[in-house]
Amino acid sequence: MKRWGVLTFKGEGERDLLHVPLAAWLPEAGVVGAMDLDPSKCLKRTGLSDLVASLGIALEEGSQPSGRAEAQGDSTGSRPDRAAHADLPRWHSWVRGLGMFGWLVALVTAFAADLTRAMPVAACALFLIPASDGAVRVTAWWRNKTTGVFADASVIRPSPAGSATRRFLRTASVRVLPGDVILTNTVGEERWLGRAGMHGVSRVVRLVAPVTGEPLAVELRDGRGEARALLPWRDWFAGQQGPERWKELQAALGVPVSDEELDRDKNSSGWWQGHMLGADARKMSPMEGKEVRRETDWQRSVIGRNELLTLPLFSAVLLAGLFSDDSSAFVAGLLSALTIAAALVPAATIALVSRLSYDKVIEKAEAHV
């Protein structure tokens, strides 16, 4: 997260008050190469330079690592805050840690002291790990379903030419709100772009081929003329409903629209090669099912891919209690079976639905929305 540097707000006596990692505040950080921006450009893209100017604060560029600054802040007894977005709630990490620690302590007690009553405690503690994951996922699903943030948004859906996947047609979108433009790619990642200020979306440019004039992509640019997002034309506006979707986007944004010839290397195999936001050509278009499953898989992208193996193995230690006459051992075995099911069943179901339906390539994609 320290790509392009950290913006540090200082108080009296040069004491650090707030650290703002620039990569955490750059909407297109995931699709821009690390070598394509310097810290000054990143400050402008995030709007932080405008914020500093409006506050009337002097902006200086230094080379001091943030780790050293944090150490200095600790020495005065006032550690600076860090303005970074958390992917998961803090309680989730605490519950998972408590579950792992409780399982280990209770299991050692059960076997070392021959105390069978500790077995259900160990199994219950281990069950907290998949249960906390499920609570986070259900809460996020419910919040997305009931939130009214997008109620007044103008929604532009892709109209691809030829084949696509149901995931792309149902997930990818451009939502235009009074103060924001929200782009959602194939895997559900959202990018929020402002509409006000020099860093906001102020212009739409359609990139066309130099010789044929064929539309290739659509750029959303800010007030400084910098590209902030890239939509492949073939996957968004080349289908049967493409002209209508193109008009909807222009009407929703209400900014100047123009065509420009794409300046590209003659030796490049794709029009997107060499473009700063070339990675958008992949993520804002239908992706292969295998790649989508890798990027949306809960274990691989959030928790860690080894959990699908370790949780069943740890649960298997007490699973034999299902066949025991001892009530404590039976309860421990039952909870262990629930832990295995909570870990494996959702992952297997999602993978199966993805392979058979959601990420299966279909012809005449618009008819299957």
Side-chain angles (χ1 to χ4, degrees):
M1 297 300 294
K2 294 181 180 178
R3 274 196 313 177
W4 304 303
V6 177
L7 180 65
T8 302
F9 288 86
K10 293 182 176 291
E12 296 181 358
E14 294 297 305
R15 180 170 58 91
D16 290 0
L17 302 176
L18 177 67
H19 290 164
V20 183
L22 297 187
W25 285 73
L26 181 66
E28 59 270 28
V31 295
V32 175
M35 302 301 296
D36 291 327
L37 290 178
D38 57 36
S40 61
K41 288 184 178 180
C42 193
L43 276 173
K44 294 177 181 179
R45 280 178 170 266
T46 57
L48 289 171
S49 59
D50 296 336
L51 172 63
V52 171
S54 64
L55 292 174
I57 302 175
L59 180 62
E60 301 177 359
E61 185 173 347
S63 58
Q64 182 181 15
S66 60
R68 182 180 170 189
E70 288 179 3
Q72 292 178 350
D74 290 343
S75 65
T76 61
S78 56
R79 186 172 182 175
D81 293 324
R82 191 168 184 268
H85 303 288
D87 294 327
L88 294 170
R90 184 171 297 178
W91 64 261
H92 177 262
S93 298
W94 281 101
V95 170
R96 287 174 58 86
L98 179 63
M100 197 66 217
F101 179 75
W103 172 81
L104 181 61
V105 171
L107 188 66
V108 171
T109 302
F111 286 101
D114 196 18
L115 187 63
T116 57
R117 286 178 296 178
M119 291 183 179
V121 178
C124 184
L126 193 62
F127 180 72
L128 289 177
I129 296 178
S132 63
D133 294 346
V136 167
R137 299 170 75 174
V138 170
T139 301
W141 170 80
W142 181 255
R143 183 171 59 248
N144 291 335
K145 181 179 179 181
T146 59
T147 184
V149 175
F150 303 137
D152 299 328
S154 298
V155 183
I156 293 88
R157 297 286 182 182
S159 175
S163 61
T165 62
R166 288 187 178 88
R167 183 189 296 272
F168 175 68
L169 295 172
R170 297 179 182 179
T171 304
S173 67
V174 177
R175 292 181 172 92
V176 181
L177 292 166
D180 300 282
V181 179
I182 307 164
L183 294 96
T184 306
N185 62 24
T186 308
V187 296
E189 295 173 339
E190 291 182 356
R191 188 191 318 172
W192 290 59
L193 303 175
R195 300 189 64 187
M198 291 299 291
H199 65 287
V201 178
S202 303
R203 185 183 173 195
V204 176
V205 175
R206 183 170 60 176
L207 302 178
V208 300
V211 178
T212 63
E214 175 190 2
L216 300 174
V218 173
E219 284 184 348
L220 303 185
R221 296 185 181 179
D222 60 20
R224 296 183 175 88
E226 298 287 346
R228 307 303 302 271
L230 183 70
L231 302 176
W233 183 270
R234 175 179 173 79
D235 298 311
W236 281 82
F237 306 108
Q240 184 177 358
Q241 302 178 25
E244 180 182 347
R245 303 290 167 83
W246 176 231
K247 292 180 182 179
E248 290 176 0
L249 179 64
Q250 296 180 65
L253 290 174
V255 297
V257 180
S258 61
D259 287 354
E260 287 187 9
E261 290 187 356
L262 178 64
D263 184 16
R264 61 174 178 173
D265 187 354
K266 294 181 180 180
N267 298 324
S268 61
S269 57
W271 61 264
W272 60 88
Q273 291 187 350
H275 196 286
M276 179 183 294
L277 302 178
D280 258 354
R282 178 178 63 90
K283 285 203 168 184
M284 297 304 293
S285 60
M287 299 167 60
E288 293 185 1
K290 183 178 180 180
E291 184 179 9
V292 169
R293 285 189 291 274
R294 183 174 61 249
E295 295 203 19
T296 59
D297 181 77
W298 174 261
Q299 277 72 28
R300 291 188 180 185
S301 61
V302 182
I303 300 302
R305 60 184 303 178
N306 294 328
E307 189 168 293
L308 280 180
L309 176 63
T310 56
L311 272 182
L313 285 178
F314 291 163
S315 299
V317 177
L318 300 174
L319 191 61
L322 286 173
F323 308 99
S324 174
D325 294 332
D326 186 272
S327 59
S328 296
F330 178 80
V331 172
L334 182 61
L335 288 172
S336 297
L338 289 175
T339 300
I340 295 175
L344 297 182
V345 171
T349 302
I350 292 173
L352 189 62
V353 172
S354 171
R355 291 176 181 274
L356 298 181
S357 175
Y358 213 37
D359 292 309
K360 187 177 180 180
V361 177
I362 54 177
E363 300 295 335
K364 298 181 180 180
E366 287 183 303
H368 291 77
V369 180

